[in-house]
Amino acid sequence: MKQCWNYYFQFRMSVLKSVSFFICALSLVVAVKPNVRTLRSTDRNRLTREIYCRENLEYPHKSLCCLNCPAGQHVKSSCERAGERGICSACEYGTFTEHPNGLDRCFLCTKCRKDQEVTGVCTSTKDTECQCKAGTFCGTEQACEVCKKCTKCKEDEEVVRNCTTTSNSVCQKKPPSSNSGSTSPVVASVIVPLLLFVLLVIAVAIGFFYQKRALKKPTENCSHPDEEVNIHVDEDCERTMEEQQNRQNAGREEPEQQPFLQGIMLENGCCRRLIPVNGEDSLLKAFDIIEKNLNCIYRNRFFRLIGLSDNTINNPEFSFSGDRVYKLLKSWMEKEGLKADINDLIQALLQLDQRYSAEIVIQEVIDHGYFRFQDES
């Protein structure tokens, strides 16, 4: 009997457990089923709303993908069909868009601060470019909110890196130098006099060199060696002297050894007067002969003797010309006009003690038929 009651109670408990499980399962299904429907509905709506447009090419508008407006413009009205571009409008003054976009307005241009200066003006496709003013900097490792003053190295420091607009100056201690303050005056007192002495020796050597060369020139017969000579070094001076030397080596004797040409000089030391055969043309042709025989050392003094001013002699138009003597003689002829006379040029050569050159000039203008002696007419 007792065993029967035990089976009864076990059966009852199993039935109660089954019923309780069924009731719990039923309530769970009823509670979960509406939520599942809601989730499925929400997912469906979200999928219909989300549109994936091509990056950097399109922008979403409602359920469409519209083409971006180009840089420097913004969207005024969006497209009405997918894959098309709506109406774009150019950015107004003071605004910009740097890249293709789907913005409904442009960005405002940046205004440089008072401690900055403009390095690039704002355009419709580029923002304003600013940098710190000279003497200030702003590091690139963080946003530039204010420009800082560049550090100045102290007296006992030296600059390793100069200050720029994006980095501060870098200083380091100067290396110690033993007795630098006491040795500097001593070194200066030795080196400066030594340099002056070397320069003096060089100047004397150059002067001796030119003096020695001048003594070798065949056309110089100056009777006053202590008289100051104003030397003007023309570009063709060396060429002229070389030509004179070549003519001498071709068979002429030294001026001191060759007798004066016969029939040119009078007994009183004056030259026989010349008259032109063809007027001004004869005088112009004689200029080449004078240039060939005029010692370049005496050129400036020669031109002063015939009446040309220093401004004319030193005029760059003549100084850097290959035919300087000819041009200056022509300038003298224009200045003198009808009074221009080759006899004045011969007289100037004689005043410079260039008697040999004067005789050669006279002989050549006679031989070429440019002039003739007045007393032979």
Side-chain angles (χ1 to χ4, degrees), residues 113-376:
R113 302 192 307 269
K114 292 182 178 180
D115 59 350
Q116 293 177 323
E117 58 185 4
V118 178
T119 58
V121 296
C122 182
T123 64
S124 60
T125 59
K126 185 181 68 174
D127 193 13
T128 310
E129 296 180 1
C130 308
Q131 72 175 18
C132 292
K133 293 182 178 180
T136 61
F137 75 98
C138 193
T140 56
E141 64 276 1
Q142 58 186 1
C144 183
E145 298 179 355
V146 62
C147 294
K148 303 176 183 178
K149 288 186 177 181
C150 298
T151 301
K152 292 184 178 180
C153 297
K154 299 178 181 178
E155 293 182 358
D156 59 343
E157 295 177 335
E158 60 184 4
V159 179
V160 177
R161 186 178 61 196
N162 292 323
C163 183
T164 65
T165 57
T166 58
S167 62
N168 194 11
S169 53
V170 178
C171 307
Q172 70 176 13
K173 290 287 185 179
K174 293 181 180 178
S177 55
S178 59
N179 299 327
S180 59
S182 59
T183 57
S184 295
V186 175
V187 173
S189 62
V190 173
I191 292 178
V192 173
L194 182 61
L195 289 176
L196 293 176
F197 175 76
V198 171
L199 292 175
L200 180 61
V201 171
I202 294 174
V204 171
I206 292 174
F208 177 77
F209 172 75
Y210 279 105
Q211 183 179 6
K212 185 176 180 180
R213 289 183 59 186
L215 291 174
K216 293 182 179 180
K217 301 303 179 180
T219 56
E220 182 180 0
N221 289 319
C222 184
S223 60
H224 302 285
D226 57 342
E227 183 178 0
E228 180 182 0
V229 179
N230 187 359
I231 300 176
H232 181 89
V233 181
D234 297 326
E235 293 181 356
D236 62 337
C237 181
E238 292 297 330
R239 176 179 56 82
T240 304
M241 299 301 293
E242 184 178 354
E243 291 176 356
Q244 294 175 353
Q245 184 66 37
N246 291 337
R247 289 198 306 272
Q248 175 187 332
N249 295 337
R252 294 175 182 253
E253 299 178 356
E254 289 289 339
E256 292 82 358
Q257 299 174 357
Q258 180 178 351
F260 295 130
L261 299 177
Q262 300 295 326
I264 293 178
M265 303 299 294
L266 300 176
E267 295 181 358
N268 58 2
C270 296
C271 296
R272 296 170 63 186
R273 187 167 183 80
L274 298 171
I275 57 176
V277 176
N278 294 317
E280 290 185 358
D281 186 60
S282 295
L283 185 58
L284 288 172
K285 292 180 179 179
F287 290 166
D288 291 328
I289 298 174
I290 295 174
E291 179 179 14
K292 182 174 62 175
N293 292 278
L294 178 60
N295 191 324
C296 62
I297 296 177
Y298 294 95
R299 285 179 180 176
N300 284 4
R301 295 177 61 189
F302 173 78
F303 292 128
R304 291 192 187 99
L305 283 176
I306 64 176
L308 291 182
S309 63
D310 287 341
N311 290 335
T312 303
I313 297 172
N314 298 320
N315 191 330
E317 179 184 355
F318 304 129
S319 298
F320 302 100
S321 174
D323 53 352
R324 175 175 179 260
V325 174
Y326 181 87
K327 288 186 176 181
L328 285 171
L329 288 172
K330 190 174 180 181
S331 176
W332 165 80
M333 186 179 73
E334 293 172 354
K335 172 179 172 291
E336 294 294 322
L338 297 176
K339 296 189 298 182
D341 191 351
I342 193 174
N343 295 284
D344 295 336
L345 303 179
I346 300 298
Q347 187 62 33
L349 289 174
L350 294 175
Q351 291 183 28
L352 292 173
D353 289 330
Q354 298 297 294
R355 184 175 177 182
Y356 180 76
S357 297
E359 292 180 347
I360 295 299
V361 170
I362 295 172
Q363 186 65 51
E364 290 192 13
V365 297
I366 293 292
D367 292 343
H368 285 81
Y370 302 151
F371 287 83
R372 59 187 176 83
F373 290 118
Q374 186 178 14
D375 52 15
E376 292 181 353

Side-chain angles (χ1 to χ4, degrees), residues 49-105:
R49 287 197 305 268
E50 289 183 357
I51 302 172
Y52 296 97
C53 299
R54 293 176 295 174
E55 187 177 2
N56 298 327
L57 295 176
E58 298 175 327
Y59 65 92
H61 172 67
K62 295 181 180 179
S63 60
L64 304 174
C65 285
C66 300
L67 291 176
N68 286 337
C69 288
Q73 300 181 11
H74 68 92
V75 178
K76 186 174 183 181
S77 60
S78 300
C79 64
E80 297 180 354
R81 288 188 295 183
E84 294 184 354
R85 178 174 291 161
I87 300 175
C88 299
S89 179
C91 294
E92 298 178 354
Y93 178 78
T95 62
F96 76 99
T97 53
E98 193 169 355
H99 307 286
N101 64 90
L103 302 173
D104 59 353
R105 66 186 64 184

